């Protein structure tokens, strides 16, 4: 994933959004696993923010949900028919997707989006708990 240099900011195409968000989150938080941490939250927010900027928040929400369903297809099917639930991190990932999509529509360019979402993830260190993303849903 060296094709994404930290100092270069561009708007990835639709099919490149997941790879771009993964690469940028790895650059931002190289010592984190990318699961239930700041890197995870930043990746979700960034992918959703990019999609919202280019295609609208509704499309970003649908594509985010489809991505989550793709990563846990059996649980998604069970949830859709009312006999099961998604994995515990699902609601946090969806929250981060919604936050990223909302903020994505409020910035003028890709660089501004990345700076804003990185700042959000950086500020969230106090909110990190085991088994939860960096930006948990408010009760």
């Amino acid at each position: 994933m060296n094709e994404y240099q930290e100092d270069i900011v561009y708007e990835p195409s639709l099919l490149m959004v997941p790879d771009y968000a993964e690469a940028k989150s790895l650059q931002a938080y190289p010592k984190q696993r990318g699961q239930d941490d700041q890197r995870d939250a930043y990746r979700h927010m960034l992918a959703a923010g990019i999609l919202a900027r280019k295609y609208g928040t509704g499309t970003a929400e649908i594509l985010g949900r489809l991505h989550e369903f793709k990563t846990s297809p059996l649980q998604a099917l069970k949830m859709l028919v009312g006999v099961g639930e998604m994995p515990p991190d699902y609601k946090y990932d969806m929250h981060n997707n919604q936050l990223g999509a909302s903020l994505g529509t409020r910035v003028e360019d890709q660089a501004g989006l990345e700076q804003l979402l990185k700042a959000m993830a950086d500020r969230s260190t106090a909110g990190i708990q085991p088994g939860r993303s960096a930006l948990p849903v408010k009760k």
Side-chain angles (χ1 to χ4, degrees):
M1 288 193 209
N2 292 336
E3 62 195 65
Y4 305 112
Q5 296 179 6
E6 191 170 341
D7 57 337
I8 296 175
V9 177
Y10 71 97
E11 293 185 22
S13 66
L14 176 63
L15 297 177
M16 291 304 296
V17 168
D19 290 339
Y20 184 83
E22 177 66 32
K24 286 292 188 173
S25 68
L26 177 59
Q27 286 175 352
Y29 303 100
K31 295 181 180 179
Q32 294 183 7
R33 298 183 317 128
Q35 185 64 37
D36 302 328
D37 53 20
Q38 289 169 299
R39 181 174 157 194
D40 185 31
Y42 181 57
R43 181 179 66 248
H44 280 272
M45 289 188 299
L46 182 57
I50 292 168
L51 293 170
R53 276 183 33 73
K54 294 179 93 168
Y55 307 107
T57 55
T59 300
E61 182 179 331
I62 290 168
L63 292 175
R65 191 171 306 275
L66 287 174
H67 176 77
E68 292 301 316
F69 287 179
K70 184 181 104 183
T71 60
S72 301
L74 185 57
Q75 281 113 330
L77 180 60
K78 288 179 178 180
M79 182 191 77
L80 291 172
V81 298
V83 295
E85 295 182 4
M86 291 296 286
D89 64 343
Y90 173 76
K91 65 181 175 180
Y92 298 98
D93 291 345
M94 292 307 298
H95 172 71
N96 290 326
N97 289 348
Q98 290 171 348
L99 183 58
S102 174
L103 294 172
T105 62
R106 299 177 189 182
V107 295
E108 292 186 22
D109 58 22
Q110 183 68 24
L113 174 67
E114 293 180 19
Q115 291 171 355
L116 174 62
L117 298 180
K118 173 76 167 60
M120 293 287 296
D122 285 348
R123 286 196 325 246
S124 67
T125 55
I128 295 176
Q129 300 173 22
R132 293 188 169 83
S133 293
L135 300 171
V137 177
K138 292 181 181 177
K139 294 184 178 181

